[in-house]
Amino acid sequence: MMNSRRSFFQSLAGAALLSQSSPITAAEHVKRNMIVRSTRPEDFEMPLDGFSGWITPIERFYVRSHHYTPTISLEEWKLTIGGEVEKPLTLTMADLKKLPRVELVAVMECAGNGRGLYEPPVPGVQWVYGSVGNGRWAGVRLADVLAKAGVKPSAQHLLMDGADVPMGTMPEFQRTIPVKKALHRDTILAYEMNGEPLPVSHGFPLRMIVPGWAGDSWVKWLTDIKLLDKEFDGFWMKTAYRHPGHPVAPGVAVDPAKMHSVESINVKSVIAGPLDKTQVAPGAPVRIHGVAWSNETPVASVEVSVDRGRTWQKAKLNTEQARYGWRLFEYTWTPRQPGYYVVMARAFDTAGKTQPMTQEWNPSGYLFNGVQQVAVDVTADPIQPPQPAASAGTPNTAAFDAPEAFRGACLPCHDEKIIMQQRLTRVQWEREVDKMARWGAKVEPADRTPIVDYLLKLYGPRPR
Ligand SMILES: Nc1nc2c(c(=O)[nH]1)N[C@H]1C(S)=C(S)[C@@H](COP(=O)(O)O)O[C@H]1N2
Ligand SMILES: [Mo]
């Protein structure tokens, strides 16, 4: 969102009704059976049972938003194209719809998918498997729009900005992609998802589709495009979404300048069933199934192992396919001998690349594609494992005597959900509190230590 409205919204930062007060301009989709990582901003994860169809229905499609969801009315919405172009443009949806319509199926995966599996833990939304989905996107080629504006030879990067408004002093979500990727024929500006107008949470009325690349480049609620003659130095390019590109010692901090921007996602598979720690009787067939996807290089095959990786068998793939879409796989295994088995799957792309058996660690927990392990207990007399004692439940701030300052400092922008999923050391909590203070949290110097002590007591490192 460009500057004019920002100061107005800033004064409202934290007002829960911000996005609900404007008229609804696109169908709201109710999400069904999702893991709620945060409601404000919206971070919803699809559980394993969602990995069962080829196209992910909108009600099961993950949502990842850094800021609150803006509500946009199509009458007022415009797309501007400026910077290193011959002819700056302002387009309405009607203008866009005059260009040829293109449709493609593509997987979108959040760079942080699998972050919750990293050891030691890293701060951020603790996605496990389901911040990924396979969508059918329709709209216009970005290259067709750019041709109308005339990209100057000096243009190197394409900056995208959406209508979402940051809270407090948080940096605006602005991302760039290199002009080469922007001009690729499969990079599109989508106004439809799965045959419907783009839903509000997914970027109504227009978003970027960058097939093969992680979700952070797929800017939602797109309003402004600007061609730049040099690299962009905004927070979301130069500090966030960076990966060392090689294994680093778990737990170390790496200078962002020594890392590179997250672009392509990794070849990966997810086992949707059987579920971990399933018990089955010997001789009963077990359907091992899930999905596999890759980046610009498609999936060629999926293999399954039931003996801790000693031998691998080819799984059957579904026949529906699209260059950037995912594949469904299945393999029927009939264990004859009782025992404690580990089921694994690994996808290969057409260049022979596959998934690592052990994941290399990186400081922000991006691009996880380590082989998943699912334990299956084959036993003639299943015993129900003891149920965990009626769980202590959701820690409740009031019951744990949070310091006086905690509520006022930490809960105006989001609720405690986003905090409860973290498992951080003292140093990591100090960094989080300081980051939030930079983003506008009102943390008095005297309150910093009591807040950190409290966070550490409730949400300290995972026991090993
Ligand atoms: N304007 C805007 N675009 C955005 C984001 C955002 O916070 N603001 N989140 C990005 C990230 S990190 C991801 S993974 C995808 C998620 O898209 P979805 O919510 O439609 O699944 O949108 C991207 N586009
Ligand atoms: Mo993301």
Side-chain angles (χ1 to χ4, degrees):
M1 168 48 63
M2 292 291 165
N3 307 322
S4 53
R5 280 169 66 203
R6 181 168 173 167
S7 53
F8 166 67
F9 279 109
Q10 242 169 13
S11 62
L12 287 177
L17 295 174
L18 186 60
S19 60
Q20 275 125 56
S21 54
S22 330
I24 302 298
T25 47
E28 285 289 359
H29 279 265
V30 175
K31 294 281 168 182
R32 213 165 37 79
N33 301 337
M34 301 293 276
I35 304 167
V36 177
R37 302 277 175 210
S38 170
T39 46
R40 233 172 29 94
E42 289 186 347
D43 294 310
F44 303 142
E45 173 170 352
M46 183 181 75
L48 284 176
D49 70 355
F51 289 92
S52 55
W54 193 52
I55 299 291
T56 311
I58 290 167
E59 67 264 27
R60 304 306 307 278
F61 209 103
Y62 84 98
V63 178
R64 182 6 173 181
S65 299
H66 293 279
H67 311 312
Y68 302 144
T69 307
T71 308
I72 298 170
S73 98
L74 202 49
E75 292 75 62
E76 287 158 36
W77 177 86
K78 284 181 198 61
L79 176 67
T80 71
I81 304 183
E84 303 292 311
V85 291
E86 306 295 347
K87 194 169 88 158
L89 296 177
T90 301
L91 302 172
T92 63
M93 187 56 77
D95 298 330
L96 282 174
K97 288 202 170 165
K98 286 182 199 135
L99 292 167
R101 181 181 189 277
V102 292
E103 189 178 289
L104 58 79
V105 169
V107 166
M108 174 173 59
E109 182 183 20
C110 180
N113 195 22
R115 179 180 291 123
L117 301 169
Y118 277 98
E119 200 57 58
V122 295
V125 180
Q126 297 296 298
W127 309 108
V128 187
Y129 298 107
S131 58
V132 60
N134 193 33
R136 187 187 296 280
W137 314 96
V140 298
R141 288 203 168 90
L142 178 56
D144 288 351
V145 176
L146 293 177
K148 289 171 85 71
V151 175
K152 288 187 180 168
S154 51
Q156 300 287 318
H157 296 268
L158 179 135
L159 175 67
M160 303 162 282
D161 196 355
D164 44 348
V165 180
M167 293 160 228
T169 46
M170 192 180 178
E172 250 189 274
F173 188 77
Q174 292 173 310
R175 296 273 310 166
T176 61
I177 54 173
V179 162
K180 183 161 181 260
K181 185 69 176 171
L183 292 175
H184 191 286
R185 62 195 308 279
D186 295 330
T187 299
I188 69 178
L189 295 170
Y191 45 68
E192 277 175 30
M193 176 179 186
N194 296 0
E196 298 183 37
L198 206 56
V200 173
S201 294
H202 296 291
F204 177 86
L206 193 73
R207 82 173 305 164
M208 283 286 294
I209 304 301
V210 193
W213 285 31
D216 45 298
S217 293
W218 299 46
V219 173
K220 304 193 273 191
W221 311 296
L222 191 63
T223 53
D224 298 274
I225 285 177
K226 194 174 170 193
L227 287 129
L228 308 177
D229 60 4
K230 55 176 182 328
E231 276 202 348
F232 179 64
D233 58 7
F235 174 84
W236 301 102
M237 292 303 296
K238 284 291 144 97
T239 307
Y241 292 115
R242 297 180 78 81
H243 191 289
H246 58 88
V248 298
V252 300
V254 182
D255 176 3
K258 297 215 165 72
M259 296 195 272
H260 60 73
S261 226
V262 167
E263 296 183 341
S264 297
I265 50 179
N266 283 326
V267 61
K268 181 166 174 180
S269 61
V270 166
I271 300 171
L275 294 175
D276 194 31
K277 303 194 173 70
T278 297
Q279 287 185 326
V280 298
V286 178
R287 187 173 158 258
I288 299 168
H289 65 104
V291 308
W293 67 91
S294 181
N295 39 48
E296 296 92 329
T297 312
V299 168
S301 63
V302 177
E303 294 180 352
V304 169
S305 172
V306 295
D307 58 3
R308 294 174 170 74
R310 290 182 182 87
T311 61
W312 295 85
Q313 277 74 42
K314 270 219 156 55
K316 206 171 100 209
L317 299 181
N318 69 320
T319 48
E320 275 162 311
Q321 53 179 304
R323 172 149 184 216
Y324 307 101
W326 70 27
R327 302 294 294 271
L328 304 173
F329 70 86
E330 73 171 59
Y331 176 82
T332 302
W333 167 53
T334 308
R336 304 280 165 200
Q337 294 304 318
Y340 193 72
Y341 294 80
V342 175
V343 172
M344 298 189 278
R346 61 181 186 192
F348 288 84
D349 72 14
T350 52
K353 232 185 189 174
T354 189
Q355 306 175 239
M357 291 296 288
T358 60
Q359 180 69 36
E360 53 201 54
W361 190 90
N362 69 92
S364 300
Y366 291 137
L367 300 176
F368 189 100
N369 73 330
V371 169
Q372 185 185 346
Q373 304 199 350
V374 174
V376 177
D377 190 8
V378 178
T379 169
D381 55 333
I383 36 150
Q384 281 314 310
Q387 294 298 309
S391 97
T394 308
N396 168 332
T397 307
F400 282 84
D401 58 359
E404 196 77 14
F406 174 75
R407 185 158 288 276
C410 300
L411 304 183
C413 300
H414 47 68
D415 59 26
E416 213 167 336
K417 248 196 159 67
I418 206 165
I419 296 176
M420 282 160 35
Q421 60 197 275
Q422 316 295 327
R423 290 291 174 270
L424 305 178
T425 62
R426 173 173 293 278
V427 170
Q428 286 175 308
W429 272 124
E430 284 168 352
R431 281 195 211 125
E432 276 299 299
V433 169
D434 293 346
K435 178 169 95 176
M436 295 301 148
R438 282 197 301 279
W439 287 358
K442 302 214 162 29
V443 183
E444 298 300 328
D447 296 328
R448 184 174 177 266
T449 303
I451 289 176
V452 169
D453 287 347
Y454 164 75
L455 291 166
L456 187 65
K457 188 169 99 194
L458 265 68
Y459 316 115
R462 272 198 280 270
R464 300 223 58 191

